[in-house]
Amino acid sequence: MPDDEPTPVHIPPLGWVLAALRACLLIVLLLSGLAVLLILRVIERPAFGLRRPITPYITQAVCRLTFVILQMRYRTEGQPMTESGAVVANHASWLDIFTLNARKRIYFVSKSEVAGWPGIGTLARAVGTVFITRDRSQARAQTALFEERLLAGHKLLFFPEGTSTDGMRILPFKSTLFAALLTPSLRDSLHVQALTVIYTAPPGQDPRFYGWWGDMDFGPHMLKVLAAWRQGSVRVVFHPPVRAADFADRKALAKHLEAQARSGMPPERQHL
């Protein structure tokens, strides 16, 4: 993965106006969606417990409308799996949260630090994100949490690369989290689906325009996206799901899913 960051984009006066307008619309959308979700969750939680048959539709609607506000083209290929299980995808941008929620009812697996982030942490908790730590002493408790959520019918999504990239490549998948999918209580019934997320930059911009990686600051990157007069697009490829039981161990499962995700990238990006 390259260390250099894209050249800073100059934002003209009209770009600042557009960014402010889009930011206001997104804030209204997110707060309205959160309010509706929390109200419905009051009814949903006592009636269904861990299961969430209603509120994920609110999350999907908000994420789809986000791309309408950004005026960013969004399309998918393939079909989300109907079987119970987990989902894995490459990770290129903070936009992945909206990209992946817009089409599929999923629950993200995220590092525990995110729960404490102002605003974002609140939203993440509200939509059912699973928070994990990198502490090995917590591995057994985290595996039990995964089992509980998966057995409740939740489709958990995590990023096996372990970090975000510039969107031009897919890093080797780390196999650690796959161990939780191969426990005796899950492996025979569990399926896993690989997704490929491909961003295309606005005309004339750096191909890595939507990529957010390394030490890049969130604020300037979001501002750049909000201020773009002409937007690019994002495409999500859903690959055929596989049975966890068909693989000898977590490393074999991770390697297969990595190959699937990589195959969905444009040819010029597959070998970077």
Side-chain angles (χ1 to χ4, degrees):
M1 184 172 59
D3 294 326
D4 63 308
E5 298 179 2
T7 303
V9 175
H10 171 69
I11 300 176
L14 284 178
W16 286 96
V17 174
L18 183 58
L21 175 60
R22 284 174 172 160
C24 289
L25 291 173
L26 285 173
I27 290 171
V28 171
L29 173 65
L30 291 172
L31 291 179
S32 299
L34 178 61
V36 173
L37 186 149
L38 292 176
I39 291 171
L40 291 176
R41 189 67 184 133
V42 171
I43 303 170
E44 188 182 53
R45 183 183 290 109
F48 300 100
L50 273 180
R51 292 181 56 236
R52 296 184 177 220
I54 304 169
T55 51
Y57 290 108
I58 305 300
T59 304
Q60 277 186 285
V62 168
C63 291
R64 289 176 181 175
L65 287 172
T66 294
F67 290 103
V68 174
I69 292 172
L70 290 176
Q71 296 176 293
M72 186 174 173
R73 295 184 301 280
Y74 175 93
R75 65 189 179 96
T76 63
E77 297 177 10
Q79 293 296 323
M81 69 177 182
T82 56
E83 300 89 349
S84 62
V87 182
V88 297
N90 60 303
H91 188 19
S93 175
W94 54 271
L95 281 168
D96 292 346
I97 298 170
F98 300 96
T99 297
L100 295 168
N101 266 312
R103 179 68 175 85
K104 190 177 183 72
R105 298 178 62 189
I106 55 172
Y107 299 89
F108 281 91
V109 176
S110 178
K111 59 184 180 181
S112 58
E113 295 94 313
V114 174
W117 291 1
I120 295 176
T122 301
L123 290 171
R125 290 193 298 272
V127 298
T129 298
V130 179
F131 297 106
I132 60 172
T133 67
R134 295 187 177 92
D135 187 347
R136 288 189 176 184
S137 66
Q138 299 297 316
R140 181 173 296 181
Q142 290 175 174
T143 297
L145 177 60
F146 272 34
E147 288 186 15
E148 181 183 32
R149 296 290 293 267
L150 289 165
L151 291 172
H154 293 187
K155 289 182 173 62
L156 301 183
L157 184 145
F158 59 94
F159 299 113
E161 292 167 295
T163 186
S164 57
T165 72
D166 61 1
M168 297 292 104
R169 69 212 69 235
I170 291 181
L171 301 178
F173 280 11
K174 297 179 180 179
S175 63
T176 305
L177 288 179
F178 288 99
L181 309 180
L182 295 172
T183 59
S185 61
L186 291 175
R187 63 174 296 141
D188 291 333
S189 60
L190 203 68
H191 288 73
V192 190
Q193 184 172 39
L195 276 58
T196 309
V197 180
I198 307 113
Y199 290 96
T200 300
Q205 296 288 355
D206 188 308
R208 304 168 295 171
F209 183 84
Y210 293 112
W212 181 55
W213 75 94
D215 296 325
M216 295 174 67
D217 292 328
F218 173 70
H221 190 275
M222 181 179 66
L223 178 61
K224 176 184 73 172
V225 173
L226 292 176
W229 189 260
R230 297 181 65 187
Q231 289 283 0
S233 63
V234 61
R235 176 166 56 98
V236 183
V237 180
F238 292 86
H239 299 282
V242 298
R243 293 179 67 245
D246 290 341
F247 296 86
D249 53 38
R250 58 186 173 87
K251 292 184 178 180
L253 178 58
K255 185 176 181 180
H256 179 86
L257 293 166
E258 178 192 331
Q260 280 189 310
R262 196 179 302 278
S263 71
M265 294 289 277
E268 66 274 13
R269 300 187 192 182
Q270 291 184 13
H271 304 292
L272 293 176

